[in-house]
mmCIF file of all heavy atoms in Angstrom:
data_model
loop_
_atom_site.group_PDB
_atom_site.id
_atom_site.type_symbol
_atom_site.label_atom_id
_atom_site.label_comp_id
_atom_site.label_asym_id
_atom_site.label_seq_id
_atom_site.Cartn_x
_atom_site.Cartn_y
_atom_site.Cartn_z
ATOM 1 N N MET D 1 93.581 113.719 97.204
ATOM 2 C CA MET D 1 94.842 113.437 96.526
ATOM 3 C C MET D 1 95.726 112.537 97.385
ATOM 4 O O MET D 1 96.309 111.582 96.926
ATOM 5 C CB MET D 1 95.557 114.760 96.224
ATOM 6 C CG MET D 1 96.882 114.561 95.487
ATOM 7 S SD MET D 1 97.708 116.131 95.147
ATOM 8 C CE MET D 1 96.510 116.880 94.058
ATOM 9 N N ARG D 2 95.854 112.906 98.680
ATOM 10 C CA ARG D 2 96.669 112.098 99.582
ATOM 11 C C ARG D 2 96.102 110.703 99.727
ATOM 12 O O ARG D 2 96.822 109.715 99.802
ATOM 13 C CB ARG D 2 96.747 112.804 100.947
ATOM 14 C CG ARG D 2 97.446 111.999 102.024
ATOM 15 C CD ARG D 2 98.867 111.666 101.647
ATOM 16 N NE ARG D 2 99.651 112.854 101.395
ATOM 17 C CZ ARG D 2 100.901 112.839 101.030
ATOM 18 N NH1 ARG D 2 101.506 111.671 100.832
ATOM 19 N NH2 ARG D 2 101.557 113.957 100.802
ATOM 20 N N LYS D 3 94.769 110.603 99.777
ATOM 21 C CA LYS D 3 94.141 109.293 99.910
ATOM 22 C C LYS D 3 94.414 108.438 98.683
ATOM 23 O O LYS D 3 94.671 107.238 98.780
ATOM 24 C CB LYS D 3 92.629 109.468 100.106
ATOM 25 C CG LYS D 3 91.907 108.158 100.391
ATOM 26 C CD LYS D 3 90.442 108.416 100.676
ATOM 27 C CE LYS D 3 89.710 107.101 100.986
ATOM 28 N NZ LYS D 3 88.275 107.339 101.239
ATOM 29 N N GLY D 4 94.350 109.058 97.506
ATOM 30 C CA GLY D 4 94.634 108.320 96.277
ATOM 31 C C GLY D 4 96.069 107.851 96.237
ATOM 32 O O GLY D 4 96.379 106.740 95.823
ATOM 33 N N TRP D 5 96.989 108.724 96.708
ATOM 34 C CA TRP D 5 98.414 108.351 96.759
ATOM 35 C C TRP D 5 98.627 107.132 97.640
ATOM 36 O O TRP D 5 99.321 106.202 97.305
ATOM 37 C CB TRP D 5 99.200 109.544 97.275
ATOM 38 C CG TRP D 5 100.602 109.232 97.702
ATOM 39 C CD1 TRP D 5 101.017 108.769 98.907
ATOM 40 C CD2 TRP D 5 101.782 109.364 96.909
ATOM 41 N NE1 TRP D 5 102.365 108.606 98.916
ATOM 42 C CE2 TRP D 5 102.864 108.967 97.706
ATOM 43 C CE3 TRP D 5 102.028 109.788 95.602
ATOM 44 C CZ2 TRP D 5 104.168 108.979 97.242
ATOM 45 C CZ3 TRP D 5 103.330 109.800 95.146
ATOM 46 C CH2 TRP D 5 104.375 109.404 95.955
ATOM 47 N N ARG D 6 97.989 107.144 98.819
ATOM 48 C CA ARG D 6 98.182 106.030 99.749
ATOM 49 C C ARG D 6 97.598 104.748 99.207
ATOM 50 O O ARG D 6 98.161 103.669 99.357
ATOM 51 C CB ARG D 6 97.534 106.374 101.091
ATOM 52 C CG ARG D 6 98.271 107.480 101.832
ATOM 53 C CD ARG D 6 97.630 107.758 103.179
ATOM 54 N NE ARG D 6 98.363 108.782 103.905
ATOM 55 C CZ ARG D 6 97.988 109.245 105.088
ATOM 56 N NH1 ARG D 6 96.883 108.781 105.650
ATOM 57 N NH2 ARG D 6 98.718 110.166 105.693
ATOM 58 N N ALA D 7 96.420 104.864 98.587
ATOM 59 C CA ALA D 7 95.788 103.659 98.039
ATOM 60 C C ALA D 7 96.637 103.045 96.955
ATOM 61 O O ALA D 7 96.792 101.829 96.888
ATOM 62 C CB ALA D 7 94.398 104.011 97.487
ATOM 63 N N CYS D 8 97.219 103.887 96.105
ATOM 64 C CA CYS D 8 98.049 103.368 95.017
ATOM 65 C C CYS D 8 99.356 102.824 95.551
ATOM 66 O O CYS D 8 99.833 101.786 95.124
ATOM 67 C CB CYS D 8 98.340 104.475 93.998
ATOM 68 S SG CYS D 8 96.861 105.047 93.144
ATOM 69 N N GLN D 9 99.945 103.541 96.521
ATOM 70 C CA GLN D 9 101.244 103.107 97.008
ATOM 71 C C GLN D 9 101.143 101.830 97.816
ATOM 72 O O GLN D 9 102.071 101.036 97.867
ATOM 73 C CB GLN D 9 101.862 104.212 97.859
ATOM 74 C CG GLN D 9 103.378 104.109 97.941
ATOM 75 C CD GLN D 9 103.982 105.388 98.448
ATOM 76 O OE1 GLN D 9 103.375 106.063 99.274
ATOM 77 N NE2 GLN D 9 105.172 105.712 97.984
ATOM 78 N N SER D 10 99.985 101.593 98.428
ATOM 79 C CA SER D 10 99.818 100.339 99.158
ATOM 80 C C SER D 10 99.835 99.156 98.223
ATOM 81 O O SER D 10 100.159 98.043 98.621
ATOM 82 C CB SER D 10 98.501 100.359 99.944
ATOM 83 O OG SER D 10 97.400 100.441 99.056
ATOM 84 N N ASN D 11 99.475 99.384 96.936
ATOM 85 C CA ASN D 11 99.551 98.305 95.957
ATOM 86 C C ASN D 11 100.976 97.867 95.711
ATOM 87 O O ASN D 11 101.231 96.739 95.311
ATOM 88 C CB ASN D 11 98.922 98.749 94.621
ATOM 89 C CG ASN D 11 97.415 98.727 94.665
ATOM 90 O OD1 ASN D 11 96.828 97.826 95.260
ATOM 91 N ND2 ASN D 11 96.784 99.712 94.045
ATOM 92 N N TRP D 12 101.958 98.758 95.926
ATOM 93 C CA TRP D 12 103.344 98.401 95.681
ATOM 94 C C TRP D 12 103.805 97.322 96.651
ATOM 95 O O TRP D 12 104.652 96.508 96.329
ATOM 96 C CB TRP D 12 104.247 99.617 95.849
ATOM 97 C CG TRP D 12 103.969 100.704 94.886
ATOM 98 C CD1 TRP D 12 103.192 100.620 93.768
ATOM 99 C CD2 TRP D 12 104.437 102.050 94.944
ATOM 100 N NE1 TRP D 12 103.171 101.817 93.127
ATOM 101 C CE2 TRP D 12 103.917 102.714 93.828
ATOM 102 C CE3 TRP D 12 105.246 102.742 95.827
ATOM 103 C CZ2 TRP D 12 104.183 104.042 93.576
ATOM 104 C CZ3 TRP D 12 105.506 104.064 95.573
ATOM 105 C CH2 TRP D 12 104.980 104.709 94.457
ATOM 106 N N THR D 13 103.308 97.371 97.880
ATOM 107 C CA THR D 13 103.749 96.409 98.882
ATOM 108 C C THR D 13 102.726 95.347 99.182
ATOM 109 O O THR D 13 102.993 94.413 99.929
ATOM 110 C CB THR D 13 104.092 97.140 100.200
ATOM 111 O OG1 THR D 13 102.937 97.866 100.617
ATOM 112 C CG2 THR D 13 105.256 98.113 99.997
ATOM 113 N N GLY D 14 101.556 95.454 98.614
ATOM 114 C CA GLY D 14 100.535 94.437 98.814
ATOM 115 C C GLY D 14 99.943 94.455 100.208
ATOM 116 O O GLY D 14 99.566 93.421 100.747
ATOM 117 N N THR D 15 99.843 95.619 100.850
ATOM 118 C CA THR D 15 99.326 95.681 102.210
ATOM 119 C C THR D 15 98.150 96.638 102.311
ATOM 120 O O THR D 15 97.943 97.271 103.335
ATOM 121 C CB THR D 15 100.431 96.133 103.178
ATOM 122 O OG1 THR D 15 100.970 97.377 102.718
ATOM 123 C CG2 THR D 15 101.539 95.102 103.254
ATOM 124 N N SER D 16 97.399 96.794 101.248
ATOM 125 C CA SER D 16 96.281 97.726 101.278
ATOM 126 C C SER D 16 95.163 97.195 102.159
ATOM 127 O O SER D 16 95.070 96.010 102.449
ATOM 128 C CB SER D 16 95.753 97.953 99.855
ATOM 129 O OG SER D 16 95.195 96.761 99.353
ATOM 130 N N GLU D 17 94.278 98.107 102.584
ATOM 131 C CA GLU D 17 93.156 97.705 103.421
ATOM 132 C C GLU D 17 92.232 96.777 102.657
ATOM 133 O O GLU D 17 91.637 95.869 103.226
ATOM 134 C CB GLU D 17 92.419 98.957 103.882
ATOM 135 C CG GLU D 17 93.256 99.835 104.814
ATOM 136 C CD GLU D 17 92.499 101.069 105.226
ATOM 137 O OE1 GLU D 17 91.330 101.191 104.810
ATOM 138 O OE2 GLU D 17 93.060 101.890 105.954
ATOM 139 N N LYS D 18 92.084 96.995 101.346
ATOM 140 C CA LYS D 18 91.232 96.120 100.555
ATOM 141 C C LYS D 18 91.791 94.710 100.520
ATOM 142 O O LYS D 18 91.038 93.740 100.502
ATOM 143 C CB LYS D 18 91.111 96.671 99.127
ATOM 144 C CG LYS D 18 90.243 97.911 99.031
ATOM 145 C CD LYS D 18 89.993 98.276 97.582
ATOM 146 C CE LYS D 18 89.043 99.461 97.484
ATOM 147 N NZ LYS D 18 88.749 99.801 96.094
ATOM 148 N N SER D 19 93.113 94.588 100.505
ATOM 149 C CA SER D 19 93.723 93.264 100.502
ATOM 150 C C SER D 19 93.393 92.527 101.795
ATOM 151 O O SER D 19 93.068 91.346 101.786
ATOM 152 C CB SER D 19 95.241 93.381 100.344
ATOM 153 O OG SER D 19 95.564 93.976 99.119
ATOM 154 N N ASN D 20 93.522 93.235 102.924
ATOM 155 C CA ASN D 20 93.237 92.601 104.205
ATOM 156 C C ASN D 20 91.764 92.248 104.317
ATOM 157 O O ASN D 20 91.398 91.202 104.869
ATOM 158 C CB ASN D 20 93.653 93.542 105.342
ATOM 159 C CG ASN D 20 95.151 93.732 105.378
ATOM 160 O OD1 ASN D 20 95.897 92.846 104.961
ATOM 161 N ND2 ASN D 20 95.608 94.880 105.873
ATOM 162 N N ALA D 21 90.907 93.133 103.813
ATOM 163 C CA ALA D 21 89.484 92.837 103.859
ATOM 164 C C ALA D 21 89.162 91.643 102.980
ATOM 165 O O ALA D 21 88.345 90.786 103.330
ATOM 166 C CB ALA D 21 88.685 94.062 103.400
ATOM 167 N N GLY D 22 89.801 91.588 101.822
ATOM 168 C CA GLY D 22 89.587 90.451 100.921
ATOM 169 C C GLY D 22 90.027 89.161 101.563
ATOM 170 O O GLY D 22 89.409 88.113 101.390
ATOM 171 N N PHE D 23 91.105 89.206 102.330
ATOM 172 C CA PHE D 23 91.576 88.008 103.018
ATOM 173 C C PHE D 23 90.565 87.534 104.051
ATOM 174 O O PHE D 23 90.295 86.348 104.198
ATOM 175 C CB PHE D 23 92.921 88.310 103.690
ATOM 176 C CG PHE D 23 93.437 87.164 104.520
ATOM 177 C CD1 PHE D 23 93.996 86.059 103.915
ATOM 178 C CD2 PHE D 23 93.351 87.200 105.900
ATOM 179 C CE1 PHE D 23 94.469 85.005 104.672
ATOM 180 C CE2 PHE D 23 93.813 86.153 106.667
ATOM 181 C CZ PHE D 23 94.383 85.051 106.056
ATOM 182 N N ALA D 24 89.988 88.492 104.744
ATOM 183 C CA ALA D 24 89.022 88.124 105.780
ATOM 184 C C ALA D 24 87.767 87.507 105.183
ATOM 185 O O ALA D 24 87.119 86.656 105.794
ATOM 186 C CB ALA D 24 88.658 89.362 106.611
ATOM 187 N N ASN D 25 87.408 87.936 103.972
ATOM 188 C CA ASN D 25 86.202 87.433 103.330
ATOM 189 C C ASN D 25 86.463 86.257 102.392
ATOM 190 O O ASN D 25 85.574 85.851 101.660
ATOM 191 C CB ASN D 25 85.543 88.566 102.535
ATOM 192 C CG ASN D 25 85.056 89.675 103.431
ATOM 193 O OD1 ASN D 25 84.583 89.403 104.531
ATOM 194 N ND2 ASN D 25 85.170 90.916 102.977
ATOM 195 N N GLY D 26 87.675 85.781 102.389
ATOM 196 C CA GLY D 26 87.995 84.636 101.555
ATOM 197 C C GLY D 26 88.584 84.998 100.220
ATOM 198 O O GLY D 26 89.048 84.137 99.482
ATOM 199 N N GLY D 27 88.597 86.287 99.851
ATOM 200 C CA GLY D 27 89.196 86.716 98.586
ATOM 201 C C GLY D 27 90.664 87.014 98.791
ATOM 202 O O GLY D 27 91.067 88.157 98.899
ATOM 203 N N ILE D 28 91.472 86.004 98.889
ATOM 204 C CA ILE D 28 92.869 86.167 99.288
ATOM 205 C C ILE D 28 93.673 86.852 98.199
ATOM 206 O O ILE D 28 93.608 86.500 97.051
ATOM 207 C CB ILE D 28 93.507 84.794 99.598
ATOM 208 C CG1 ILE D 28 92.786 84.161 100.772
ATOM 209 C CG2 ILE D 28 94.988 84.952 99.895
ATOM 210 C CD1 ILE D 28 93.305 82.790 101.120
ATOM 211 N N ARG D 29 94.455 87.837 98.618
ATOM 212 C CA ARG D 29 95.495 88.355 97.757
ATOM 213 C C ARG D 29 96.840 88.285 98.471
ATOM 214 O O ARG D 29 97.799 87.773 97.961
ATOM 215 C CB ARG D 29 95.200 89.806 97.369
ATOM 216 C CG ARG D 29 96.283 90.342 96.455
ATOM 217 C CD ARG D 29 96.143 91.819 96.228
ATOM 218 N NE ARG D 29 97.452 92.371 95.952
ATOM 219 C CZ ARG D 29 97.740 93.640 96.000
ATOM 220 N NH1 ARG D 29 96.813 94.501 96.343
ATOM 221 N NH2 ARG D 29 98.929 94.072 95.725
ATOM 222 N N THR D 30 96.921 88.822 99.696
ATOM 223 C CA THR D 30 98.144 88.778 100.469
ATOM 224 C C THR D 30 97.799 88.408 101.908
ATOM 225 O O THR D 30 97.121 89.150 102.582
ATOM 226 C CB THR D 30 98.857 90.141 100.462
ATOM 227 O OG1 THR D 30 99.125 90.517 99.107
ATOM 228 C CG2 THR D 30 100.163 90.049 101.212
ATOM 229 N N SER D 31 98.280 87.266 102.362
ATOM 230 C CA SER D 31 97.978 86.813 103.707
ATOM 231 C C SER D 31 98.798 87.596 104.720
ATOM 232 O O SER D 31 99.858 88.122 104.391
ATOM 233 C CB SER D 31 98.298 85.324 103.836
ATOM 234 O OG SER D 31 99.687 85.105 103.717
ATOM 235 N N PRO D 32 98.319 87.664 105.993
ATOM 236 C CA PRO D 32 99.096 88.359 107.017
ATOM 237 C C PRO D 32 100.484 87.754 107.200
ATOM 238 O O PRO D 32 101.448 88.485 107.417
ATOM 239 C CB PRO D 32 98.225 88.183 108.272
ATOM 240 C CG PRO D 32 96.844 87.995 107.755
ATOM 241 C CD PRO D 32 97.001 87.235 106.481
ATOM 242 N N GLN D 33 100.594 86.440 107.106
ATOM 243 C CA GLN D 33 101.890 85.793 107.272
ATOM 244 C C GLN D 33 102.847 86.187 106.158
ATOM 245 O O GLN D 33 104.033 86.440 106.393
ATOM 246 C CB GLN D 33 101.721 84.270 107.296
ATOM 247 C CG GLN D 33 103.042 83.510 107.553
ATOM 248 C CD GLN D 33 103.650 83.875 108.885
ATOM 249 O OE1 GLN D 33 102.958 83.995 109.896
ATOM 250 N NE2 GLN D 33 104.954 84.090 108.907
ATOM 251 N N ARG D 34 102.315 86.273 104.927
ATOM 252 C CA ARG D 34 103.166 86.669 103.803
ATOM 253 C C ARG D 34 103.618 88.099 103.967
ATOM 254 O O ARG D 34 104.769 88.449 103.666
ATOM 255 C CB ARG D 34 102.411 86.498 102.484
ATOM 256 C CG ARG D 34 103.246 86.828 101.255
ATOM 257 C CD ARG D 34 102.448 86.603 99.988
ATOM 258 N NE ARG D 34 102.034 85.223 99.867
ATOM 259 C CZ ARG D 34 101.136 84.784 99.001
ATOM 260 N NH1 ARG D 34 100.543 85.656 98.185
ATOM 261 N NH2 ARG D 34 100.808 83.516 98.941
ATOM 262 N N SER D 35 102.727 88.983 104.441
ATOM 263 C CA SER D 35 103.104 90.368 104.670
ATOM 264 C C SER D 35 104.168 90.468 105.750
ATOM 265 O O SER D 35 105.116 91.245 105.638
ATOM 266 C CB SER D 35 101.871 91.185 105.073
ATOM 267 O OG SER D 35 100.921 91.204 104.032
ATOM 268 N N LEU D 36 104.020 89.669 106.809
ATOM 269 C CA LEU D 36 105.010 89.669 107.877
ATOM 270 C C LEU D 36 106.364 89.194 107.361
ATOM 271 O O LEU D 36 107.401 89.768 107.698
ATOM 272 C CB LEU D 36 104.533 88.772 109.022
ATOM 273 C CG LEU D 36 105.477 88.665 110.239
ATOM 274 C CD1 LEU D 36 105.684 90.041 110.858
ATOM 275 C CD2 LEU D 36 104.908 87.691 111.264
ATOM 276 N N ASN D 37 106.354 88.169 106.527
ATOM 277 C CA ASN D 37 107.610 87.673 105.951
ATOM 278 C C ASN D 37 108.258 88.728 105.059
ATOM 279 O O ASN D 37 109.483 88.852 105.028
ATOM 280 C CB ASN D 37 107.354 86.400 105.152
ATOM 281 C CG ASN D 37 106.980 85.226 106.032
ATOM 282 O OD1 ASN D 37 107.293 85.210 107.226
ATOM 283 N ND2 ASN D 37 106.315 84.240 105.462
ATOM 284 N N SER D 38 107.428 89.476 104.350
ATOM 285 C CA SER D 38 107.958 90.534 103.489
ATOM 286 C C SER D 38 108.628 91.627 104.314
ATOM 287 O O SER D 38 109.682 92.142 103.945
ATOM 288 C CB SER D 38 106.840 91.141 102.640
ATOM 289 O OG SER D 38 106.301 90.189 101.754
ATOM 290 N N VAL D 39 108.021 91.981 105.445
ATOM 291 C CA VAL D 39 108.599 92.998 106.314
ATOM 292 C C VAL D 39 109.928 92.510 106.880
ATOM 293 O O VAL D 39 110.917 93.252 106.928
ATOM 294 C CB VAL D 39 107.623 93.352 107.454
ATOM 295 C CG1 VAL D 39 108.294 94.299 108.446
ATOM 296 C CG2 VAL D 39 106.367 94.002 106.892
ATOM 297 N N LYS D 40 109.976 91.253 107.294
ATOM 298 C CA LYS D 40 111.213 90.699 107.838
ATOM 299 C C LYS D 40 112.325 90.708 106.794
ATOM 300 O O LYS D 40 113.463 91.074 107.089
ATOM 301 C CB LYS D 40 110.966 89.266 108.326
ATOM 302 C CG LYS D 40 110.106 89.167 109.570
ATOM 303 C CD LYS D 40 109.906 87.705 109.959
ATOM 304 C CE LYS D 40 109.061 87.583 111.217
ATOM 305 N NZ LYS D 40 108.822 86.150 111.581
#
């Protein structure tokens, strides 16, 4: 349950592990720079 909550909530900010993995493999959704700008 907790894992499902975290996976879904990471979609709200676009910083899920799948997003980062997709970026590394060329399937871009949210770049590290964009995530950093969002945090700032």
Side-chain angles (χ1 to χ4, degrees):
M1 181 180 296
R2 174 60 59 181
K3 186 176 181 181
W5 166 275
R6 291 182 178 178
C8 295
Q9 203 164 34
S10 63
N11 283 321
W12 297 347
T13 57
T15 55
S16 66
E17 294 179 2
K18 287 189 176 182
S19 298
N20 293 332
F23 175 76
N25 295 324
I28 297 178
R29 181 189 152 196
T30 302
S31 66
Q33 183 61 42
R34 183 179 299 167
S35 297
L36 180 60
N37 291 338
S38 296
V39 174
K40 290 179 179 178

